[in-house]
Amino acid sequence: MSINLNLKFSNQQKDFFVTLNQRVNAYFKNNKIERTANTEMVIKTIFMFSLYLIPYFLLIGGITSNGWVMLGLCAVMGLGMAGIGLSIMHDANHGSYSNKPWVNNLLGLSLNLVGGHDLNWKVQHNVLHHTYTNVHDVDEDISPRGIIRMGPESKWIPLHKYQHYYAWFFYGLMTLVWVTVKDFSRLIKYQREGLVKKQRTSVTKEWIVMVATKIVYFSYIFVIPMWLLPVSFGQVVIGFLVMHYIAGFILAMIFQPAHVVEGTEYPMPDEQGNLENTWAIHQLRTTTNFGHREKIFSWYVGGLNYQVEHHLFPNICHVHYRDIAKIVEQTAKEFNLPYKSKETFFEAVAAHARMLKILAQKPAPKMARVAVAA
């Protein structure tokens, strides 16, 4: 099924985002702060790359022959891989890391460093998810096909009755599927639907970049360790799977509770393709924050527990979200709009689990296209 990008947001109720934008701009101007990365972000960047690269070089340097220690280093690489995705690649590919495009482009390729492809991510995340959040068959984050049902409009199959039990296991396979299968199928799909050209690039270039970087990735992950170390192919595969499972599970646990939770909404367009709200209000109704007081957690996840702020201002580096959150919350309240937030990360995960259970139920024959709320 092709993606419908002709949906239209309402032109009413624009005052909210105009006011909010003015206040956020005033915050940066009055405090003489750049909207891009600061020293904290640079330190975090070095840390996340180190978390991924240092264990790798320790491994291929033969620092240990103990299988369990080697597996532990692969696990740390998984933490670093998720950290690069959450804190570096994410901001760079939104264009919010630096005001210099070449810096964003270079750091955006950190996704390719860990096996993915930046163009596919930009289309699925920046274009489809950020524009049409929680809209069935447009936002691919909540419209997966198969064994996990993320939205009330998605097709239900009997297996879904148990998804709140088995979904957790499959979350860990997320990055593994991306680097081995999904990147190829998505580039074909986006090429067919003209989404690649809309990114001001050519299909040929993207295929060359994707294939070349995947050859580099699988070479340093598989070929170099087997060349330098007395390990079998099976041992390398196990380390590879452990690394990806940890990274995939972490990423899923951060992104899913932001949109697929009790109290979120799944807006649907009318027959003419019109959505009820403005883009900004749409983001408020489909997005949830969590764990603002958990400082270490918030630091590691790249501020993505401030999902409301991120969806409203994806062009602002995440290190500033905690400071503009009060502005966003206060402005939303003034306009009598929702500002959805869970006190802790655990509460957000629990709300996601309950939503999975709700979506596991077989829908009525004519299920109303309305928000599924707590």
Side-chain angles (χ1 to χ4, degrees):
M1 181 180 294
S2 61
I3 298 173
N4 180 13
L5 296 183
N6 295 316
L7 304 181
K8 297 182 269 313
F9 290 97
S10 170
N11 287 320
Q12 310 298 319
Q13 305 171 301
K14 284 187 175 182
D15 289 349
F16 162 68
F17 195 57
V18 170
T19 302
L20 177 60
N21 212 26
Q22 290 173 344
R23 292 175 178 179
V24 170
N25 288 338
Y27 164 79
F28 285 102
K29 183 178 180 180
N30 294 339
N31 291 283
K32 298 180 180 179
I33 300 172
E34 292 290 333
R35 300 159 70 99
T36 49
N38 55 16
T39 302
E40 176 190 344
M41 185 63 180
V42 173
I43 293 172
K44 183 185 291 192
T45 301
I46 295 170
F47 177 85
M48 294 303 179
F49 275 127
S50 299
L51 199 61
Y52 181 74
L53 294 173
I54 290 177
Y56 173 77
F57 286 113
L58 290 176
L59 279 168
I60 66 170
I63 191 173
T64 180
S65 59
N66 183 291
W68 289 109
V69 175
M70 295 174 77
L71 203 61
L73 290 172
C74 291
V76 175
M77 286 183 68
L79 293 172
M81 181 179 173
I84 289 172
L86 293 166
S87 294
I88 303 170
M89 177 282 294
H90 190 265
D91 279 52
N93 281 324
H94 270 297
S96 61
Y97 191 102
S98 172
N99 53 20
K100 297 179 175 63
W102 71 267
V103 174
N104 290 319
N105 293 335
L106 180 63
L107 291 177
L109 286 171
S110 60
L111 177 58
N112 297 58
L113 173 69
V114 296
H117 183 51
D118 61 329
L119 185 278
N120 283 338
W121 189 90
K122 287 176 182 178
V123 173
Q124 177 169 334
H125 188 78
N126 293 1
V127 178
L128 304 180
H129 172 65
H130 267 267
T131 307
Y132 305 105
T133 311
N134 277 18
V135 177
H136 175 65
D137 267 342
V138 184
D139 180 1
E140 292 186 347
D141 283 13
I142 60 102
S143 301
R145 308 298 187 267
I147 62 174
I148 302 179
R149 186 168 181 258
M150 293 290 185
E153 297 293 331
S154 295
K155 181 181 178 181
W156 182 90
I157 59 176
L159 183 61
H160 288 148
K161 290 189 294 184
Y162 311 103
Q163 71 171 13
H164 47 298
Y165 298 116
Y166 64 70
W168 313 97
F169 168 76
F170 287 99
Y171 284 162
L173 304 180
M174 184 176 74
T175 60
L176 183 65
V177 171
W178 265 100
V179 302
T180 58
V181 178
K182 192 173 181 179
D183 268 333
F184 296 94
S185 65
R186 277 295 173 268
L187 188 52
I188 292 172
K189 184 175 187 290
Y190 297 152
Q191 174 183 342
R192 184 176 64 245
E193 296 180 350
L195 292 170
V196 175
K197 290 184 179 180
K198 289 182 179 179
Q199 293 299 301
R200 298 179 181 177
T201 185
S202 72
V203 170
T204 302
K205 173 188 173 183
E206 293 307 323
W207 275 105
I208 291 173
V209 170
M210 186 177 75
V211 172
T213 54
K214 284 191 184 292
I215 289 173
V216 171
Y217 174 72
F218 285 108
S219 294
Y220 83 74
I221 286 294
F222 285 100
V223 178
I224 292 179
M226 292 186 64
W227 177 38
L228 296 178
L229 303 173
V231 294
S232 67
F233 178 70
Q235 288 175 301
V236 177
V237 169
I238 290 173
F240 173 77
L241 293 176
V242 167
M243 176 184 70
H244 270 282
Y245 196 87
I246 289 173
F249 190 80
I250 291 172
L251 292 171
M253 286 298 94
I254 300 306
F255 284 106
Q256 299 298 2
H259 302 288
V260 186
V261 291
E262 282 183 318
T264 196
E265 299 182 20
Y266 293 86
M268 288 295 292
D270 61 22
E271 294 181 357
Q272 286 73 44
N274 298 309
L275 290 158
E276 180 182 359
N277 296 298
T278 63
W279 172 82
I281 295 174
H282 179 97
Q283 302 308 313
L284 289 177
R285 296 189 177 281
T286 58
T287 309
T288 302
N289 284 350
F290 51 86
H292 284 182
R293 296 183 181 180
E294 299 163 350
K295 293 184 179 180
I296 295 177
F297 165 79
S298 184
W299 184 87
Y300 174 73
V301 303
L304 292 179
N305 52 334
Y306 289 89
Q307 278 282 328
V308 173
E309 286 68 33
H310 172 59
H311 269 255
L312 291 171
F313 298 100
N315 59 339
I316 294 178
C317 185
H318 76 260
V319 292
H320 304 295
Y321 290 157
R322 61 178 176 266
D323 296 317
I324 68 172
K326 292 181 180 178
I327 300 173
V328 176
E329 182 176 11
Q330 180 60 38
T331 307
K333 288 181 177 178
E334 286 180 20
F335 282 83
N336 197 29
L337 294 170
Y339 182 84
K340 302 177 182 183
S341 184
K342 303 295 182 183
E343 189 73 15
T344 67
F345 173 56
F346 178 79
E347 287 181 20
V349 172
H352 172 61
R354 290 191 293 270
M355 193 66 201
L356 282 177
K357 191 171 183 179
I358 291 171
L359 294 170
Q361 300 170 12
K362 184 177 181 179
K366 292 184 179 180
M367 183 176 182
R369 292 181 172 180
V370 295
V372 177

